[in-house]
Amino acid sequence: MSLLRYESQVREPLVDGHKTYHDVTEDICKPVEAAPTRLWWIGFIISVALLLFGAVSLYKEVVYGTGMWNLNKTIGWGWDITNFVWWVGIGHAGTLISAILLLFRQGWRTGVNRAAEAMTIFAVICAGQFPIWHMGRVWMAFFVMPYPNTRGPLWVNFNSPLLWDVFAISTYFTVSLLFWYSGLIPDMATLRDRAKKKWAKAFYGVASFGWTGSTKHWQRHESLSLVLAGLSTPLVLSVHTIVSFDFATSVIPGWHTTIFPPYFVAGAIFSGFAMVQTLMLVTRKIMNLEDYITISHIENMNKVIVLTGSIVGCAYLTELFMAWYSAVKYEQDIFFKYRIAGPYGWSYWLMMTCNVITPQLFWSKKLRRNIAFTFLMSIVVNVGMWFERFVIIVSSLYRDYLPSSWSVYYRPTIWEVGFYLGSFGLFFTCYFLFSKYFPVIAIAEIKHVLKKNGESYKEQMDGIEEQSVEEFAHEHAHAH
């Protein structure tokens, strides 16, 4: 009985087509082993161009100072910190898919977990750029590291959530990198054994750490995956919680609220899954991986999006209610005068439309399974989540307690926009290189679920579905 791998026909297959183990290896390795396509080159060149524009923007900021950005005495955090929080949020879906869904043994994660993990790493790299360059004197960045020094009693402020960010994000990056790379090892050994060029065989040989596929290797691999999943799970919740403390521990109206931690975590998962959808819908089309990233995968991710979008919408309404219920004039003014209305009212309503109203369309199964609509919605959600961070940061700062400090209308300069576009260039340059030189789908994990969830194997279960309980028990009583 223990040898029987059975799953109900009610569940859709996770691998479409009549695939064998050999087919899985060929289909996923083909984009890596073949020459880059024209579409790949076009995307890569555009990404590098954006990256170079970002480098020029950073050069201007480093040489001439943060005065090149349109920050002022009231809005000291503008696009840069907005983008930092946004990119950190983007990186949350990868660890959620990898760690939490692994611990819950959700088989549908196998088609998207590799690319989602890579996305996490690249997004955290992009996020880390913003607070570093926001320092202005970036050559002093090492001051944030607490180590014995000769600068007298000059130590970091351990009571500051900005320092907590340093520890949380560096830990998150390290564990995510280990998780991603350990999952790559068996697949890099496959590429090593298939490689025909000397450089490829040498590169994948070193990268695979001598993997042979022995029982001992697989046992250690499984144990390491579970340990890293256990370490990553609290990080999914803690990292964006600590990022939210950047705001919640202050006394600025609109920031000083206890709802921020769960609100930020839900928003991070919301935006992260939307970015996974954007990447995977393009990847499955360009690399002909529709049989492995199926409509079922897309629908499951859309269900997570509608759930987290509803939580975020509930948080927005809770904020409005608490501002009214608190009877604190400053809180009420921020929300009802300067967010819903006021000069930045347009950004608040754009945020509400993108994050609260449009995701509710996914209650329709037809729309959840529509690829074009899903792609459009994935972009709409991330536009809305960017404006959420913009609304939180700018609309609270430009009307502070002192009318004498009230800012003029904040607009980013071309160099702020350039830095943001440069982070997209960095992200997509890394992703294009990853998709060319590494399998974007975990070969070993697809093979693990193939005989249980593959379409051809599920068809063999038709006969079992028709059996009575007595016939089924008698036939499989001596399976072991």
Side-chain angles (χ1 to χ4, degrees):
M1 195 76 172
S2 62
L3 297 179
L4 180 68
R5 298 179 64 83
Y6 169 77
E7 184 178 83
S8 171
Q9 296 292 74
V10 174
R11 292 183 181 271
E12 293 184 57
L14 296 177
V15 182
D16 287 340
H18 293 71
K19 302 292 183 183
T20 63
Y21 287 147
H22 177 70
D23 293 333
V24 172
T25 304
E26 288 293 327
D27 291 345
I28 298 175
C29 289
K30 185 189 292 184
V32 179
E33 295 169 340
T37 63
R38 180 180 295 179
L39 282 175
W40 186 92
W41 277 115
I42 291 171
F44 183 69
I45 290 170
I46 292 172
S47 300
V48 172
L50 287 174
L51 179 58
L52 292 175
F53 181 38
V56 171
S57 301
L58 276 181
Y59 170 79
K60 287 282 189 181
E61 187 268 335
V62 171
V63 171
Y64 298 104
T66 51
M68 296 300 293
W69 296 345
N70 211 12
L71 304 176
N72 51 59
K73 66 177 183 178
T74 306
I75 302 180
W77 287 359
W79 265 49
D80 49 337
I81 303 300
T82 300
N83 298 334
F84 161 69
V85 180
W86 187 76
W87 276 117
V88 172
I90 292 293
H92 265 57
T95 310
L96 177 77
I97 292 171
S98 304
I100 296 178
L101 298 185
L102 172 64
L103 294 176
F104 282 97
R105 300 298 184 186
Q106 295 296 302
W108 65 269
R109 61 180 281 281
T110 54
V112 297
N113 67 321
R114 173 69 54 73
E117 290 166 17
M119 184 198 76
T120 291
I121 294 163
F122 305 148
V124 173
I125 291 172
C126 292
Q129 305 296 314
F130 289 95
I132 291 174
W133 298 103
H134 181 261
M135 293 177 184
R137 296 182 178 89
V138 69
W139 49 90
M140 299 293 187
F142 64 91
F143 274 37
V144 302
M145 303 305 296
Y147 65 93
N149 58 74
T150 58
R151 299 191 293 272
L154 185 59
W155 280 86
V156 292
N157 181 8
F158 287 99
N159 293 324
S160 170
L162 299 177
L163 181 66
W164 306 343
D165 277 349
V166 174
F167 291 112
I169 293 172
S170 58
T171 304
Y172 183 57
F173 176 77
T174 303
V175 173
S176 298
L177 183 64
L178 288 173
F179 207 167
W180 173 70
Y181 193 83
S182 63
L184 269 173
I185 289 174
D187 293 353
M188 287 194 289
T190 300
L191 291 171
R192 173 200 63 198
D193 297 339
R194 293 169 56 92
K196 296 176 182 177
K197 298 177 181 177
K198 282 188 176 181
W199 72 264
K201 187 170 284 291
F203 172 74
Y204 292 118
V206 172
S208 60
F209 289 151
W211 177 273
T212 62
S214 66
T215 303
K216 195 67 176 176
H217 283 185
W218 277 113
Q219 182 184 23
R220 288 172 175 168
H221 182 268
E222 289 289 325
S223 299
L224 177 63
S225 297
L226 288 173
V227 169
L228 290 174
L231 289 173
S232 300
T233 299
L235 286 175
V236 173
L237 305 175
S238 66
V239 170
H240 225 56
T241 295
I242 290 173
V243 170
S244 76
F245 287 167
D246 294 350
F247 309 99
T249 56
S250 73
V251 293
I252 302 294
W255 289 4
H256 189 63
T257 173
T258 55
I259 200 178
F260 266 23
Y263 162 24
F264 269 53
V265 170
I269 296 169
F270 182 48
S271 60
F273 266 84
M275 183 61 88
V276 171
Q277 291 280 48
T278 304
L279 293 177
M280 297 314 298
L281 290 173
V282 174
T283 301
R284 76 191 288 271
K285 185 67 177 177
I286 291 177
M287 296 188 170
N288 299 314
L289 296 172
E290 288 93 338
D291 289 339
Y292 303 98
I293 305 169
T294 66
I295 298 296
S296 179
H297 289 95
I298 294 167
E299 184 180 12
N300 286 333
M301 287 193 284
N302 284 336
K303 288 177 181 177
V304 177
I305 287 173
V306 74
L307 170 65
T308 50
S310 300
I311 295 172
V312 168
C314 182
Y316 293 162
L317 297 177
T318 303
E319 279 190 313
L320 292 174
F321 172 77
M322 291 309 298
W324 167 78
Y325 189 71
S326 68
V328 176
K329 181 174 176 55
Y330 303 106
E331 289 283 337
Q332 292 177 346
D333 282 0
I334 283 292
F335 282 95
F336 298 110
K337 283 188 179 180
Y338 306 130
R339 283 193 184 176
I340 289 180
Y344 291 106
W346 61 271
S347 60
Y348 181 85
W349 290 110
L350 183 61
M351 172 194 80
M352 292 292 281
T353 303
C354 293
N355 294 347
V356 181
I357 299 171
T358 53
Q360 302 309 315
L361 296 172
F362 278 141
W363 286 103
S364 165
K365 184 172 183 177
K366 184 177 180 181
L367 293 179
R368 281 201 308 270
R369 299 174 69 86
N370 185 302
I371 293 175
F373 181 76
T374 297
F375 183 74
L376 174 65
M377 284 300 303
S378 69
I379 295 172
V380 166
V381 165
N382 266 317
V383 169
M385 287 307 296
W386 188 91
F387 274 100
E388 179 203 287
R389 279 61 179 250
F390 179 81
V391 166
I392 289 172
I393 292 168
V394 174
S395 69
S396 289
L397 288 176
Y398 93 114
R399 289 291 187 267
D400 205 341
Y401 287 112
L402 298 177
S404 61
S405 298
W406 287 4
S407 172
V408 295
Y409 193 82
Y410 168 74
R411 292 182 180 86
T413 65
I414 184 64
W415 309 119
E416 286 177 274
V417 177
F419 188 11
Y420 182 47
L421 294 177
S423 69
F424 273 103
L426 175 60
F427 179 84
F428 283 108
T429 298
C430 291
Y431 187 79
F432 277 114
L433 291 173
F434 157 74
S435 65
K436 179 64 193 77
Y437 294 104
F438 300 101
V440 294
I441 295 177
I443 301 172
E445 296 202 32
I446 289 291
K447 290 180 178 179
H448 180 71
V449 301
L450 183 64
K451 282 200 171 183
K452 180 180 176 184
N453 305 99
E455 183 178 9
S456 57
Y457 293 96
K458 285 178 72 70
E459 288 175 357
Q460 298 172 15
M461 295 295 170
D462 287 336
I464 295 176
E465 290 274 0
E466 297 170 0
Q467 288 180 337
S468 66
V469 176
E470 292 78 13
E471 290 173 332
F472 179 87
H474 177 74
E475 183 176 339
H476 298 283
H478 304 290
H480 48 258

